[in-house]
Amino acid sequence: MSDYKIVQHYLTKNDCYKAGKKRSKTTGIVKHSTGANNPNLKRYIDDADNLGANQYGNHWNQSGISTCVHFFIGLDKNGDIAIYQTLPLDYRCWGCGSGSKGSYNDTHIQYEICEDGLTDEAYFTKAFDAAAWLDKYICEQCGLSASDIVSHKEACAKGYASNHGDPENWLSKFGKDMDWCRSLVDGTTTNTTATTTTTTTTTASTTATAKLTVDGQIGSKTVTRLQQVLGSTADGFIDGQPSASKKYWTSIITEACKWSGGASACVKKLQQYLKDHGYKPGTVDGLLGAKTATALQKYLIGLDYSCGSTGADGYFGTNSAKALQTWLNDD
């Protein structure tokens, strides 16, 4: 296990920090992964000098965002793994939602590991090595043990979190599980005395990319942003799809797809992305259909975006498109 330092950069403008609520006790740790193909800490933290500029201006250190955890693990501007502390340890974070029995927000320290495309084993190994170090540090600070560490998925199963599948969706790609994570913490004790560096917020001299209008219509701008997130060619157009599928995707307007038949590389990327995150879009064939619509709706709902009263019904209409646009603005 490598040695790390903690960079202290509290998100003081975030609504969770401003609420200033404290936990009455600390009984465990919740481990999350972000669910987005973006390993860069600048997505969430506004430290342009050390992390690089967030060109979209959608970091979490701003009013109107209440989601927040105590730590993030991801890449700095040099491509190195870094650990950032974003809330004081005794603060009650908003990280895992709630379940039938309550919420681990009341009792647990929580952190996020920034996901990539879930295929880079080198990044996976480095990120979870840093996570094991952080687990040890928190355990030593709070008198916890490895058995007190749970994933968001496990917290949900216990009745204390919303229905998410992280980070098992990522661990399983490399034949690992939460027992493996806990085994890295259990056993021999290593020196995890943190070297803490405090940073100050700086404003980058870059122009943020305009956010999408959340209007429930999937046009070329929405498609372009989706292609950027997926790492596909960003031309703002989905190659002609079977006309029979149009009834499932009424929110896609003509400028973005002519429904003339054929497969799309962008759709293949989307289907593989959903499959990699534990959802079932059907065959990865580049063809939009009800299964792909349902899988994308379930993915968005799993991230707490509403697709309307009908939920994941396989019909990607206005409400689902608004959820997609909101997610793309947040990503």
Side-chain angles (χ1 to χ4, degrees):
M1 184 185 298
S2 299
D3 197 21
Y4 298 89
K5 69 177 181 180
I6 293 172
V7 180
Q8 188 181 94
H9 187 96
Y10 293 158
L11 303 186
T12 56
K13 298 178 183 178
N14 182 283
D15 290 349
C16 180
Y17 181 93
K18 289 189 293 184
K21 294 182 179 180
K22 306 290 185 71
R23 292 187 317 281
S24 60
K25 57 183 178 180
T26 302
T27 61
I29 301 168
V30 179
K31 185 192 302 282
H32 301 263
S33 60
T34 55
N37 182 5
N38 191 342
N40 301 300
L41 286 166
K42 67 181 181 181
R43 162 62 183 88
Y44 305 97
I45 301 168
D46 59 333
D47 180 14
D49 287 345
N50 299 297
L51 302 181
N54 180 325
Q55 68 187 76
Y56 302 110
N58 60 351
H59 56 77
W60 284 12
N61 194 23
Q62 50 191 310
S63 180
I65 298 178
S66 57
T67 303
C68 200
V69 291
H70 297 92
F71 299 93
F72 280 88
I73 296 170
L75 299 179
D76 64 15
K77 70 177 184 181
N78 297 317
D80 297 323
I81 291 287
I83 301 174
Y84 268 63
Q85 183 177 356
T86 47
L87 285 176
L89 273 185
D90 61 345
Y91 271 41
R92 181 191 186 278
C93 76
W94 194 96
C96 67
S98 60
S100 60
K101 297 179 181 179
S103 176
Y104 277 163
N105 289 338
D106 297 324
T107 55
H108 283 52
I109 292 171
Q110 302 182 43
Y111 65 87
E112 292 272 5
I113 312 172
C114 295
E115 291 187 13
D116 62 352
L118 308 184
T119 58
D120 185 344
E121 188 169 6
Y123 174 66
F124 169 84
T125 300
K126 292 177 182 178
F128 279 89
D129 181 74
W133 184 93
L134 181 59
D135 285 334
K136 281 179 172 285
Y137 169 73
I138 297 171
C139 285
E140 291 176 3
Q141 293 294 307
C142 300
L144 303 174
S145 65
S147 62
D148 298 317
I149 303 167
V150 297
S151 67
H152 191 154
K153 182 177 181 178
E154 290 175 327
C156 173
K158 291 175 180 289
Y160 291 95
S162 58
N163 186 18
H164 284 216
D166 58 297
E168 281 86 345
N169 63 299
W170 191 4
L171 290 164
S172 64
K173 298 295 180 183
F174 299 98
K176 307 298 184 183
D177 56 21
M178 280 300 298
D179 286 337
W180 171 75
C181 291
R182 285 183 282 265
S183 75
L184 298 177
V185 180
D186 211 0
T188 58
T189 302
T190 61
N191 178 16
T192 55
T193 301
T195 301
T196 303
T197 303
T198 303
T199 65
T200 56
T201 300
T202 58
T203 302
S205 58
T206 59
T207 302
T209 299
K211 290 191 175 185
L212 297 170
T213 300
V214 181
D215 58 6
Q217 291 191 323
I218 300 176
S220 60
K221 290 182 180 179
T222 301
V223 171
T224 297
R225 184 73 187 102
L226 177 62
Q227 290 168 329
Q228 290 171 337
V229 169
L230 296 173
S232 183
T233 301
D235 59 6
F237 188 76
I238 300 172
D239 293 340
Q241 293 287 302
S243 57
S245 294
K246 189 173 183 179
K247 64 181 179 181
Y248 302 113
W249 294 84
T250 56
S251 54
I252 298 179
I253 62 178
T254 303
E255 68 173 89
C257 181
K258 296 187 183 302
W259 301 103
S260 58
S264 164
C266 171
V267 174
K268 280 188 177 181
K269 287 267 191 179
L270 173 62
Q271 290 169 328
Q272 188 62 53
Y273 180 87
L274 292 168
K275 189 175 180 180
D276 288 343
H277 284 80
Y279 296 89
K280 298 178 180 179
T283 305
V284 180
D285 55 8
L287 302 176
L288 291 170
K291 289 183 179 180
T292 301
T294 301
L296 182 54
Q297 287 171 323
K298 288 182 176 179
Y299 174 73
L300 292 168
I301 291 169
L303 294 175
D304 294 330
Y305 298 101
S306 173
C307 290
S309 59
T310 56
D313 61 359
Y315 290 88
F316 211 88
T318 301
N319 289 325
S320 297
K322 286 181 177 179
L324 175 65
Q325 290 167 328
T326 304
W327 171 63
L328 291 172
N329 279 337
D330 289 343
D331 185 68

